[in-house]
Coordinates of all heavy atoms in Angstrom, one line a residue:
P148 N 0.8 -1.2 0.0 CA 0.0 0.0 0.0 C 0.9 1.3 0.0 O 2.0 1.3 0.5 CB -0.8 -0.1 1.3 CG 0.0 -1.0 2.2 CD 0.7 -2.0 1.3
R149 N 0.3 2.3 -0.6 CA 1.0 3.6 -0.6 C 1.0 4.2 0.8 O 0.1 4.0 1.6 CB 0.4 4.5 -1.6 CG 0.4 4.0 -3.1 CD -0.4 5.0 -4.0 NE -0.5 4.4 -5.3 CZ 0.4 4.7 -6.3 NH1 1.5 5.4 -6.1 NH2 0.2 4.1 -7.5
L150 N 2.0 5.0 1.0 CA 2.2 5.7 2.3 C 1.9 7.2 2.1 O 2.3 7.8 1.1 CB 3.6 5.5 2.9 CG 4.0 4.0 3.2 CD1 5.4 4.0 3.6 CD2 3.1 3.4 4.2
A151 N 1.3 7.8 3.1 CA 1.1 9.3 3.1 C 2.3 9.9 3.7 O 2.5 9.9 4.9 CB -0.1 9.6 3.9
L152 N 3.2 10.4 2.8 CA 4.5 11.0 3.3 C 4.6 12.5 3.2 O 5.6 13.1 3.6 CB 5.6 10.3 2.5 CG 5.7 8.8 2.6 CD1 6.8 8.3 1.7 CD2 6.0 8.4 4.0
I153 N 3.6 13.1 2.5 CA 3.6 14.6 2.5 C 2.3 15.1 3.0 O 1.3 14.3 3.2 CB 3.9 15.1 1.0 CG1 2.8 14.6 0.0 CG2 5.3 14.7 0.6 CD1 3.0 15.3 -1.3
N154 N 2.2 16.4 3.1 CA 1.0 17.1 3.7 C 0.8 16.6 5.1 O -0.4 16.5 5.6 CB -0.2 16.9 2.9 CG -0.1 17.4 1.5 OD1 0.7 18.4 1.3 ND2 -0.7 16.8 0.5
N155 N 1.8 16.2 5.8 CA 1.8 15.8 7.2 C 3.1 16.0 7.9 O 4.1 16.5 7.2 CB 1.3 14.3 7.3 CG 2.2 13.4 6.5 OD1 3.4 13.6 6.3 ND2 1.5 12.3 5.9
E156 N 3.2 15.6 9.1 CA 4.5 15.8 9.9 C 5.6 15.0 9.3 O 6.8 15.3 9.5 CB 4.2 15.6 11.3 CG 3.3 16.6 12.0 CD 3.2 16.4 13.5 OE1 3.9 15.4 14.0 OE2 2.5 17.1 14.2
T157 N 5.3 13.8 8.8 CA 6.4 12.9 8.3 C 7.2 13.6 7.2 O 8.4 13.6 7.2 CB 5.8 11.6 7.7 OG1 5.0 11.0 8.7 CG2 6.8 10.7 7.2
G158 N 6.5 14.2 6.2 CA 7.3 14.9 5.2 C 8.0 16.1 5.7 O 9.2 16.4 5.2
V159 N 7.5 16.8 6.7 CA 8.1 18.0 7.3 C 9.4 17.5 8.0 O 10.5 18.1 7.8 CB 7.2 18.7 8.2 CG1 7.9 19.8 9.0 CG2 6.0 19.3 7.5
V160 N 9.3 16.5 8.8 CA 10.5 16.0 9.5 C 11.6 15.5 8.6 O 12.8 15.9 8.8 CB 10.1 14.9 10.5 CG1 11.3 14.2 11.1 CG2 9.2 15.4 11.6
I161 N 11.2 14.8 7.5 CA 12.2 14.3 6.6 C 12.9 15.4 5.9 O 14.2 15.5 5.8 CB 11.6 13.3 5.6 CG1 11.1 12.1 6.3 CG2 12.5 13.0 4.5 CD1 10.3 11.1 5.4
S162 N 12.2 16.4 5.4 CA 12.8 17.5 4.7 C 13.6 18.4 5.5 O 14.7 18.9 5.1 CB 11.7 18.3 4.0 OG 10.7 18.8 4.9
V163 N 13.1 18.7 6.7 CA 13.9 19.6 7.7 C 15.2 18.8 8.1 O 16.2 19.4 8.2 CB 13.0 20.0 8.9 CG1 13.9 20.7 9.9 CG2 11.9 20.8 8.4
L164 N 15.1 17.5 8.3 CA 16.2 16.8 8.7 C 17.3 16.8 7.6 O 18.5 16.9 7.8 CB 15.8 15.3 9.0 CG 16.9 14.4 9.5 CD1 17.6 14.8 10.7 CD2 16.4 13.0 9.6
N165 N 16.8 16.6 6.4 CA 17.7 16.7 5.2 C 18.4 18.0 5.1 O 19.6 18.1 4.7 CB 16.9 16.4 3.9 CG 17.8 16.7 2.7 OD1 17.6 17.7 2.0 ND2 18.7 15.8 2.4
F166 N 17.7 19.1 5.5 CA 18.3 20.4 5.4 C 19.3 20.7 6.6 O 20.4 21.3 6.4 CB 17.2 21.5 5.5 CG 17.7 22.9 5.7 CD1 18.3 23.6 4.7 CD2 17.6 23.5 6.9 CE1 18.7 24.9 4.8 CE2 18.1 24.8 7.1 CZ 18.6 25.5 6.1
I167 N 19.1 20.1 7.8 CA 19.9 20.4 8.9 C 21.0 19.5 9.1 O 22.1 19.9 9.6 CB 19.0 20.4 10.2 CG1 18.0 21.6 10.2 CG2 19.8 20.3 11.5 CD1 17.0 21.6 11.3
L168 N 20.9 18.2 8.6 CA 21.9 17.2 8.9 C 23.3 17.6 8.4 O 24.3 17.4 9.1 CB 21.5 15.9 8.2 CG 22.2 14.6 8.7 CD1 22.0 14.5 10.2 CD2 21.7 13.4 8.0
P169 N 23.5 18.3 7.2 CA 24.9 18.7 6.9 C 25.5 19.7 7.8 O 26.7 19.6 8.1 CB 24.7 19.3 5.5 CG 23.4 18.7 4.9 CD 22.6 18.5 6.1
F170 N 24.7 20.6 8.3 CA 25.2 21.6 9.3 C 25.6 20.8 10.6 O 26.7 21.1 11.2 CB 24.1 22.6 9.7 CG 23.8 23.5 8.6 CD1 22.6 23.2 7.8 CD2 24.5 24.6 8.3 CE1 22.3 24.1 6.7 CE2 24.2 25.5 7.2 CZ 23.1 25.2 6.5
F171 N 24.8 19.9 11.0 CA 25.1 19.1 12.2 C 26.4 18.3 12.1 O 27.3 18.3 12.9 CB 24.0 18.2 12.6 CG 24.2 17.4 13.8 CD1 23.8 17.8 15.0 CD2 24.7 16.1 13.7 CE1 24.0 17.0 16.2 CE2 24.9 15.3 14.8 CZ 24.5 15.8 16.1
V172 N 26.5 17.6 10.9 CA 27.7 16.7 10.7 C 28.9 17.5 10.6 O 30.0 17.2 11.2 CB 27.4 15.9 9.5 CG1 28.7 15.1 9.1 CG2 26.3 14.9 9.7
L173 N 28.9 18.6 9.9 CA 30.2 19.4 9.7 C 30.6 20.0 11.0 O 31.8 20.2 11.2 CB 30.0 20.4 8.6 CG 29.8 19.8 7.2 CD1 29.5 20.9 6.2 CD2 31.0 19.0 6.7
T174 N 29.6 20.5 11.8 CA 30.0 21.1 13.1 C 30.6 20.0 14.0 O 31.6 20.3 14.7 CB 28.7 21.7 13.7 OG1 28.2 22.7 12.8 CG2 29.1 22.4 15.0
L175 N 30.0 18.9 14.1 CA 30.4 17.8 15.0 C 31.7 17.2 14.5 O 32.6 16.8 15.2 CB 29.4 16.7 15.1 CG 29.7 15.6 16.1 CD1 29.9 16.1 17.5 CD2 28.5 14.6 16.1
F176 N 31.9 17.2 13.2 CA 33.1 16.6 12.6 C 34.3 17.4 13.0 O 35.4 16.8 13.4 CB 33.0 16.7 11.0 CG 34.3 16.7 10.3 CD1 35.1 15.5 10.3 CD2 34.8 17.8 9.7 CE1 36.3 15.5 9.6 CE2 36.0 17.8 9.0 CZ 36.8 16.6 9.0
G177 N 34.2 18.7 13.1 CA 35.3 19.6 13.6 C 35.7 19.3 15.1 O 36.8 19.3 15.5
A178 N 34.6 19.0 15.9 CA 34.8 18.7 17.3 C 35.5 17.3 17.5 O 36.4 17.2 18.3 CB 33.5 18.7 18.0

């Protein structure tokens, strides 16, 4: 069955995580 992945919190979390993860990784990488 198809999954409802947009127009809900699931899509928001996935997209925001994709945006933030590089900042998080590069900051922690230096530490």
